[in-house]
Amino acid sequence: MKITKVQVIVHCPARNFVTVKVHSDQGVYGLGDATLNGRELAVSKYIEEYLTPSLIGKSPFDTEDIWQFFYKGVYWRRGAVNMTAIGAIDIALWDLKAKLLNVPLYQLLGGKSRNKILTYCHGHGTSFEDTIEKVLEKKEAGYEAIRVQSGIPGLDKIYGMNTKKGAKYEPAIAAETPFEEEWDTSKYLNHVPRLFEKVREAVGDEVHLLHDGHHRLTPIEAARLGKELEPFHLFWLEDLVAGEMQESFRLIRNHTTTPLALGEVFNTMFDCKTLLEEELIDHLRMAVSHGGGITPMKKIAALAELHHVKISPHGPSDISPIGIAAALHLVTAINNFGVHEYMGYEEQTLEAFPHAFKWEKGYLHLDETPGLGVDINMDLVDKYPYKKAFLPVNRLTDGTMFHW
Ligand code: GCO
Ligand code: MG
């Protein structure tokens, strides 16, 4: 059995996606998600020029050896572009392998550890009132876990806030250069505990509430926020400080019992080794596509299990249904799953990627479709050409460049 051809598809059905299609001499193909929001063409070119030629003629069953070949063979290891490219190939090979064996992918990863996958959605608003309304709507729709972000008085355009009442949150903006947002940490720190006090009062104790700090605090600021939110029993506080500084979490951990989540920008085991080994976080948020694929994520999940850390994958709309399905199969098979983010997709994206997984009453469900259970509609590829789009950048109100 041999790999005969690799196609890299870049298109924009509502937003940009990069998809890898690996063909075999059996007439069956596997799909992988290579989307890296705002840097799509760097990954597609990388796969076409540097990975594809080495794949032709290899057996699609040799997922471990192929992963090691690309990981060790690059010399310049790690990094988001490199690991997303390797991850997409790895996901496609696992999809292909499971299709050839005629089983859903989770059967090759340990079988079923659960019947359905808990999800959280976004309850975002412009003000306290608007946010509470959103959170109640999501609760009504069946979500048991809701991420809460809201506008901050005095700041016009910030992370996680909808620009208009009722609009869907989409961070990437089509343009030739990135859009600029603004930030003020003290306004944020004063606002968030008040927000959660009101939301908890409105929604009751049953719903899990989450919040994303998007890497903007210093360790001591993060410790203060965690401590002040303790009375509202959050499910987690996500990305409080920049993920590069794993050691920062020692200080935060010593000050608060609020559970901590981190890792959507991580791409290897080495980004979270200290966090796991010292039990500094509760949830690891790596996406399968950005984390180098199923092959390394299985190992990372095993290390996390040893340290009481749950795998709770990143699931924004800038990860395609292929990447989401890869995570769903992984978390179906492992024991230490926490929660999966699910924002849903625009109509055009759903049309572009027909898929078997379904969202119902707060949970995602897989069926018995062999492989990942996701396809790509090739007839729509030319209809939706790539449009350059960027994630925003961020400055303090005095103009200083800051974290986004
Ligand atoms: C999340 C995230 C996203 C990211 C986006 C980057 O927790 O869902 O923080 O909103 O910012 O996916 O591409
Ligand atoms: Mg996040």
Side-chain angles (χ1 to χ4, degrees):
M1 198 157 311
K2 283 186 172 33
I3 296 166
T4 50
K5 189 169 96 173
V6 180
Q7 280 171 282
V8 184
I9 300 139
V10 183
H11 73 330
C12 186
R15 68 161 345 282
N16 291 320
F17 291 108
V18 181
T19 305
V20 174
K21 195 168 180 181
V22 178
H23 299 260
S24 69
D25 58 4
Q26 306 297 300
V28 180
Y29 58 82
L31 295 171
D33 180 18
T35 312
L36 188 62
N37 200 5
R39 292 293 184 273
E40 293 85 1
L41 301 184
V43 185
S44 65
K45 192 74 179 159
Y46 188 105
I47 297 172
E48 279 167 357
E49 292 293 325
Y50 304 112
L51 305 188
T52 298
S54 304
L55 274 172
I56 308 300
K58 285 198 163 60
S59 164
F61 283 108
D62 295 341
T63 43
E64 182 69 32
D65 184 68
I66 293 173
W67 190 88
Q68 298 288 347
F69 180 90
F70 287 139
Y71 181 76
K72 293 186 170 141
V74 70
Y75 189 63
W76 319 105
R77 293 181 193 182
R78 307 165 67 185
V81 172
N82 177 37
M83 295 309 293
T84 302
I86 298 175
I89 299 289
D90 186 74
I91 293 169
L93 293 179
W94 279 99
D95 183 33
L96 179 49
K97 175 150 68 168
K99 280 176 175 163
L100 289 166
L101 297 171
N102 204 29
V103 290
L105 174 56
Y106 64 78
Q107 294 294 13
L108 303 182
L109 307 175
K112 250 191 194 180
S113 283
R114 58 191 48 77
N115 300 319
K116 53 183 188 173
I117 296 145
L118 177 68
T119 60
Y120 76 87
C121 62
H122 296 181
H124 295 178
T126 49
S127 61
F128 285 154
E129 297 68 31
D130 183 34
T131 309
I132 290 170
E133 204 179 293
K134 290 276 159 38
V135 172
L136 291 172
E137 264 170 34
K138 298 288 178 182
K139 183 186 174 194
E140 194 59 29
Y143 276 101
E144 294 177 18
I146 304 170
R147 182 178 96 166
V148 182
Q149 312 285 139
S150 103
I152 299 173
L155 296 178
D156 278 347
K157 182 85 185 70
I158 60 154
Y159 169 76
M161 187 185 87
N162 295 336
T163 35
K164 284 184 244 119
K165 211 169 179 289
K168 277 204 177 162
Y169 179 64
E170 164 54 64
I173 298 163
E176 273 306 305
T177 55
F179 179 79
E180 295 197 2
E181 294 184 353
E182 61 173 357
W183 186 249
D184 181 322
T185 301
S186 64
K187 284 194 170 65
Y188 169 77
L189 285 177
N190 290 335
H191 177 80
V192 176
R194 289 181 201 142
L195 171 70
F196 275 89
E197 186 181 4
K198 289 189 189 304
V199 172
R200 183 52 92 198
E201 200 180 280
V203 84
D205 287 334
E206 296 307 310
V207 177
H208 297 307
L209 298 178
L210 297 77
H211 180 73
D212 190 347
H214 228 242
H215 309 116
R216 291 175 178 194
L217 302 180
T218 63
I220 202 70
E221 290 164 348
R224 167 182 153 191
L225 184 64
K227 219 170 173 170
E228 291 187 6
L229 289 175
E230 280 171 21
F232 315 115
H233 299 145
L234 267 65
F235 186 91
W236 79 35
L237 263 179
E238 178 191 344
D239 288 352
L240 288 183
V241 304
E244 294 96 303
M245 308 284 280
Q246 297 182 54
E247 299 77 11
S248 301
F249 279 78
R250 290 183 187 138
L251 182 145
I252 306 169
R253 198 61 156 176
N254 275 333
H255 282 87
T256 181
T257 56
T258 298
L260 303 171
L262 189 71
E264 67 184 41
V265 299
F266 292 172
N267 46 67
T268 70
M269 168 92 83
F270 301 100
D271 298 328
C272 54
K273 195 167 166 284
T274 304
L275 294 168
L276 298 180
E277 287 172 349
E278 296 186 23
E279 299 173 9
L280 299 176
I281 55 170
D282 302 279
H283 294 265
L284 183 63
R285 307 228 47 232
M286 285 170 74
V288 174
S289 52
H290 301 147
I294 298 276
T295 299
M297 282 307 296
K298 263 297 265 180
K299 300 172 190 177
I300 292 169
L303 180 64
E305 183 183 3
L306 198 68
H307 295 289
H308 315 283
V309 177
K310 294 194 163 122
I311 301 297
S312 296
H314 190 208
S317 50
D318 51 84
I319 291 180
S320 87
I322 299 167
I324 297 289
L328 295 180
H329 283 270
L330 176 76
V331 302
T332 294
I334 60 172
N335 178 266
N336 54 325
F337 164 64
V339 67
H340 196 295
E341 182 178 19
Y342 190 60
M343 287 171 69
Y345 291 104
E346 299 285 341
E347 269 312 308
Q348 290 177 0
T349 309
L350 295 172
E351 233 192 315
F353 297 99
H355 55 271
F357 66 79
K358 279 197 184 68
W359 183 88
E360 208 178 66
K361 297 196 185 106
Y363 290 79
L364 279 161
H365 301 256
L366 289 177
D367 67 8
E368 299 295 311
T369 308
L372 290 169
V374 185
D375 209 347
I376 181 166
N377 186 339
M378 296 301 283
D379 295 340
L380 297 179
V381 170
D382 293 338
K383 187 171 166 195
Y384 300 124
Y386 166 80
K387 284 191 208 121
K388 189 184 280 181
F390 284 93
L391 288 165
V393 296
N394 198 20
R395 291 185 189 276
L396 298 181
T397 44
D398 69 357
T400 308
M401 192 64 203
F402 202 59
H403 312 278
W404 186 76

